[in-house]
Amino acid sequence: AVDANVIELDSVKAQQQILVLLYDLTDMRRIEQMQLDFVGNVSHELKTPITAISGFAETLLSGAQDDPETREQFLKIIYDESQHLNQLIQDILALSRTDRNQHGQTQTVHVQAMVNNELGLLQQLIQQRELTVSVKVPEQLTVQIEAAKLEQIIKNLIYNAVFYNRDHGKVTIEAEIKAQQFYFRVQDTGIGIAADEQPRVFERFYRVDKARARNSGGTGLGLAIVQENIKFLGGQIRLQSQLGVGSTFSVELPLD
Ligand code: ADP
């Protein structure tokens, strides 16, 4: 009877081990598939601007450059597409740094200055859209954090709040430290995101409105970068949104 028990116990263990192994393998397959999908998506996303750049350059070279108006128009397209290509490569590199678990340096970040810097880069769009931006970040607020990672989070959330807003809309940016946690919130009065789309917007290359996103110069990687950087820093992000009303992205990061 004792022997039988031992055998039984052993076989239960073995079954558990097999189950764990199977689970590992499905996990590995899933990761492998995700990597394959990512490479496929990247190639596709790179192809679009490259095709446009070479197509318009070729047309210019084969005579279109003689007409000043056409030349200007085509050069503008070539410039915009190469800017998009540049952004795409920067975003892919940003994701690859978190994928490879690469740690950067912890620095003292002056949050208000970082926010204002990002807003400065978006000034033209903010003015065009006549948006009201309010920054509720205490002047003295600093955090000890990997500056480059925090910047990716702040930059992408602010960019989206501006871009997916409506004319005369509002953007509110708030930050505070409470109980060793850094809270950062970006609220907009923009187009909003439907409930079923909300979990998907953090996926790589996922866009709610593909046509509109293409014009935005966005890469579809912004929120994936935000989420990966937050995960890397041990924090979390929450999205509250209502279609046609607006969205709020709330970030919580632990401070050591
Ligand atoms: P993109 O480069 O297209 O902006 P993101 O990963 O930053 O890529 O966002 C994914 C999608 O989520 C966007 O294409 C857009 O449809 C939606 N989205 C992101 N932020 C907002 C927002 N603040 N308001 C409404 N929709 C948003």
Side-chain angles (χ1 to χ4, degrees):
V2 173
D3 273 345
N5 263 338
V6 171
I7 290 163
E8 243 172 60
L9 275 179
D10 273 358
S11 79
V12 167
K13 231 184 189 171
Q15 272 175 17
Q16 277 173 349
Q17 276 169 355
I18 290 167
L19 273 178
V20 168
L21 189 67
L22 279 175
Y23 181 73
D24 268 5
L25 281 176
T26 14
D27 235 27
M28 272 166 61
R29 292 253 160 74
R30 199 174 51 83
I31 292 169
E32 216 172 275
Q33 190 55 48
M34 271 168 61
Q35 280 169 344
L36 287 174
D37 288 349
F38 183 62
V39 172
N41 280 328
V42 165
S43 314
H44 176 78
E45 297 285 333
L46 291 174
K47 229 170 154 176
T48 316
I50 289 173
T51 307
I53 289 170
S54 67
F56 282 98
E58 197 183 346
T59 316
L60 277 174
L61 288 172
S62 54
Q65 58 181 328
D66 297 338
D67 175 40
E69 223 172 273
T70 312
R71 187 172 61 218
E72 169 125 15
Q73 191 194 348
F74 284 13
L75 282 175
K76 169 98 175 51
I77 296 173
I78 292 174
Y79 177 75
D80 287 348
E81 292 294 334
S82 57
Q83 290 287 90
H84 180 71
L85 206 50
N86 189 26
Q87 187 59 51
L88 204 55
I89 290 165
Q90 279 184 30
D91 281 357
I92 292 165
L93 287 175
L95 270 177
S96 133
R97 277 193 290 272
T98 51
D99 282 350
R100 281 182 292 138
N101 234 351
Q102 252 181 10
H103 274 284
Q105 268 200 331
T106 299
Q107 282 162 294
T108 305
V109 176
H110 188 266
V111 180
Q112 200 193 65
M114 189 176 261
V115 167
N116 286 334
N117 184 42
E118 300 308 333
L119 285 171
L121 298 172
L122 291 168
Q123 207 46 46
Q124 214 181 343
L125 196 54
I126 292 170
Q127 272 169 9
Q128 260 173 26
R129 289 269 175 91
E130 300 187 52
L131 302 178
T132 307
V133 180
S134 89
V135 180
K136 297 177 179 166
V137 180
E139 156 74 44
Q140 302 303 331
L141 191 102
T142 60
V143 283
Q144 292 292 326
I145 208 159
E146 278 187 45
K149 296 217 160 50
L150 183 62
E151 193 184 0
Q152 289 286 352
I153 298 167
I154 289 181
K155 179 171 82 178
N156 283 297
L157 290 180
I158 294 180
Y159 177 87
N160 285 349
V162 168
F163 186 78
Y164 297 104
N165 221 312
R166 57 173 168 80
D167 288 349
H168 306 283
K170 272 208 303 209
V171 176
T172 309
I173 302 158
E174 291 168 272
E176 64 174 335
I177 295 178
K178 245 182 0 199
Q180 288 294 93
Q181 300 275 330
F182 173 58
Y183 294 90
F184 182 75
R185 191 161 51 234
V186 182
Q187 190 176 10
D188 67 61
T189 56
I191 59 175
I193 305 166
D196 58 330
E197 305 268 13
Q198 287 175 21
R200 300 214 60 191
V201 293
F202 294 97
E203 290 173 18
R204 296 177 184 196
F205 293 117
Y206 188 81
R207 290 145 174 159
V208 176
D209 180 346
K210 292 188 179 46
R212 188 186 165 106
R214 184 78 191 99
N215 296 328
S216 78
T219 59
L221 292 174
L223 287 177
I225 293 173
V226 167
Q227 194 181 42
E228 291 299 328
N229 281 290
I230 289 171
K231 230 198 282 171
F232 191 94
L233 296 170
Q236 51 188 9
I237 183 162
R238 214 156 35 93
L239 163 61
Q240 288 160 294
S241 186
Q242 209 183 328
L243 213 54
V245 178
S247 313
T248 305
F249 288 86
S250 311
V251 177
E252 201 181 313
L253 296 172
L255 300 171
D256 296 330

